[in-house]
Amino acid sequence: MNNTYIDACFRRPTEHTPIWIMRQAGRYMPQYQEVRGQVDFLTLCKTPELATKVTLLPIDLLNVDAAILFSDILIPLEPMGISVAFEDKVGPVLSAVQDETAIRALRRIEADEDTGFVMDAIRMIRKELEGRVPLIGFSGSPFTLATYAVEGGTTKSFHNIKGLLYSRPELADYLMDLLADVVINYLNAQVDAGAQAIQIFDTWGGILADPEYVRFSLKPVQKVIAHLKRDGIPVIYYLNNGAYLAHHMDGIDADVIGIDWRQDIGQARRTFGQRKAVQGNLDPTVLFASPQEVRLRAHRILEEAGPAPGHVFNLGHGILPQTPMDNAIALVEAVHEYRR
Ligand code: CP3
């Protein structure tokens, strides 16, 4: 059993620095495209046999040190009463929840019943993995989920969600608190089904000014973490675009903080990295350079992260669909071969 990932999350010494890649099972992989050619994305997420098959691809093809459940952060929004669709070239399209009536009509979910296919997939993946590497479960953060729910999809301006925060802060508090309850129920069901680590994706927390980040993103995340079943299960908080919020990370009760490439990993390790593991932080576009350059820049990050236990290598954000697969393989090799 390869336990380097869990060991690094808890800042125990490991023989090499473990690596996994956000969105490691995805469109850059011909083997993923083959499965996607048969079914649409939501069907793939809702069919445990197919989700299992796709989850295992990067374990076999890249040799990463952890598996991550193949699913999407938007999955628990559907049983709350929001329609969710994924359209090629557009991305997610949701029924936008923008007024008080719509927000108050959203329901709390019972994850075991409402998203049973996720729990079935987790049980099936654990069985297929046979202990080779640990399995990561995940959820979006309450604020990131609210962004999709209120905007109805991807946005550049974020004016609907920000408009809600500024014009109806108490209603926004209600929505974040409701989503925190949903995320708690959803993640604890994943732990019961067999998830061995939990990552919370805060993709959009980093669009907010500091006080709004604290009230609408950080506080609900704290509530989630305080209610998780986490005996032996590391909790990872990934914040995209959060360099200017780094001074808040020490106060978050997660085991690991995930950072992107805009933040200096050496500095992160010297500040909040004293008490928490740090995950990151290669720019995903480095994978469009030569394999030699990928190797060089991976080793530079390992150098800057330093010898203290508690570094999990990852990209700073998800791997891009146009990435050459050979460079993803070269990256994993470069991290595994590195010795001080
Ligand atoms: O990391 C993994 O391999 C596990 C699977 C996973 C997916 N999405 C699969 C996916 C995970 C952990 C996610 C999380 C997710 N989903 C986030 C948080 C992480 C981040 O990237 O910031 C967000 C914001 C989403 C929402 C989402 N899902 C968007 C905006 C899109 C469309 C944009 C895009 O990249 O195409 C998706 C679709 C999606 N989720 C795909 C995959 C593999 C592509 C779907 C396809 O096959 O067509």
Side-chain angles (χ1 to χ4, degrees):
M1 157 88 174
N2 172 0
N3 214 41
T4 51
Y5 169 70
I6 301 290
D7 284 340
C9 287
F10 286 128
R11 290 182 300 125
R12 296 192 287 255
T14 57
E15 209 161 291
H16 63 82
T17 300
I19 172 171
W20 70 279
I21 298 174
M22 289 192 273
R23 295 268 175 108
Q24 63 189 13
R27 287 159 294 179
Y28 74 100
M29 249 180 201
Q31 294 83 351
Y32 172 82
Q33 295 282 16
E34 204 182 300
V35 180
R36 266 288 272 117
Q38 324 278 318
V39 293
D40 62 55
F41 176 63
L42 268 180
T43 305
L44 179 45
C45 291
K46 292 179 181 179
T47 313
E49 291 77 12
L50 292 177
T52 298
K53 180 175 173 181
V54 166
T55 299
L56 293 192
L57 288 176
I59 314 309
D60 297 326
L61 300 169
L62 302 185
N63 194 28
V64 285
D65 297 291
I68 181 161
L69 164 72
F70 188 84
S71 185
D72 197 85
I73 59 163
L74 304 180
I75 290 289
L77 294 181
E78 217 173 27
M80 291 180 73
I82 299 171
S83 73
V84 178
F86 289 86
E87 289 175 14
D88 287 337
K89 303 212 161 65
V90 180
V93 180
L94 302 88
S95 52
V97 178
Q98 295 179 336
D99 58 23
E100 173 149 14
T101 314
I103 289 173
R104 301 239 180 235
L106 293 174
R107 51 178 291 264
R108 282 177 170 69
I109 68 166
E110 206 46 72
D112 277 325
E113 284 124 55
D114 293 324
T115 52
F117 52 88
V118 170
M119 311 312 150
D120 290 340
I122 289 173
R123 283 183 281 266
M124 203 173 281
I125 295 162
R126 280 296 305 276
K127 213 164 143 210
E128 292 273 319
L129 276 173
E130 296 179 308
R132 275 183 290 164
V133 292
L135 174 64
I136 306 167
F138 69 88
S139 168
S141 72
F143 178 72
T144 292
L145 293 176
T147 300
Y148 284 102
V150 173
E151 295 289 345
T154 311
T155 169
K156 283 207 170 86
S157 63
F158 297 93
H159 63 276
N160 293 303
I161 181 69
K162 286 187 167 183
L164 178 72
L165 306 187
Y166 289 126
S167 63
R168 300 289 311 274
E170 281 84 22
L171 183 59
D173 284 334
Y174 170 84
L175 177 58
M176 301 313 154
D177 198 60
L178 174 70
L179 283 164
D181 289 344
V182 166
V183 169
I184 290 164
N185 181 271
Y186 186 55
L187 287 176
N188 281 335
Q190 291 185 36
V191 170
D192 287 340
Q196 292 155 294
I198 288 297
Q199 177 154 322
I200 299 167
F201 285 93
D202 202 350
T203 303
W204 299 125
I207 63 160
L208 297 170
D210 196 307
E212 280 71 38
Y213 168 74
V214 170
R215 175 166 174 179
F216 299 111
S217 186
L218 178 59
K219 247 186 55 199
V221 163
Q222 294 279 45
K223 177 178 173 180
V224 169
I225 295 177
H227 289 86
L228 290 184
K229 303 180 180 178
R230 53 193 295 200
D231 192 21
I233 312 256
V235 175
I236 304 93
Y237 174 63
Y238 165 76
L239 175 60
N240 181 37
N241 224 334
Y244 68 104
L245 299 166
H247 57 286
H248 291 299
M249 296 303 111
D250 226 7
I252 298 178
D253 192 23
D255 301 289
V256 186
I257 301 293
I259 63 171
D260 70 31
W261 63 94
R262 301 168 187 93
Q263 204 166 151
D264 184 302
I265 193 163
Q267 204 173 331
R269 292 269 281 164
R270 285 187 293 278
T271 52
F272 53 81
Q274 302 286 316
R275 283 158 298 275
K276 293 177 192 333
V278 175
Q279 174 181 289
N281 68 341
L282 188 73
D283 184 337
T285 58
V286 168
L287 296 176
F288 293 87
S290 67
Q292 292 83 343
E293 188 67 26
V294 169
R295 192 166 167 270
L296 193 90
R297 288 184 181 269
H299 287 181
R300 192 179 294 167
I301 285 174
L302 289 158
E303 194 71 38
E304 286 168 1
H311 177 214
V312 174
F313 202 106
N314 206 318
L315 302 181
H317 202 176
I319 190 166
L320 293 161
Q322 305 83 356
T323 304
M325 172 108 164
D326 284 346
N327 276 357
I329 294 170
L331 172 64
V332 176
E333 280 174 4
V335 172
H336 282 166
E337 78 186 10
Y338 181 82
R339 293 291 181 278
R340 272 163 229 293

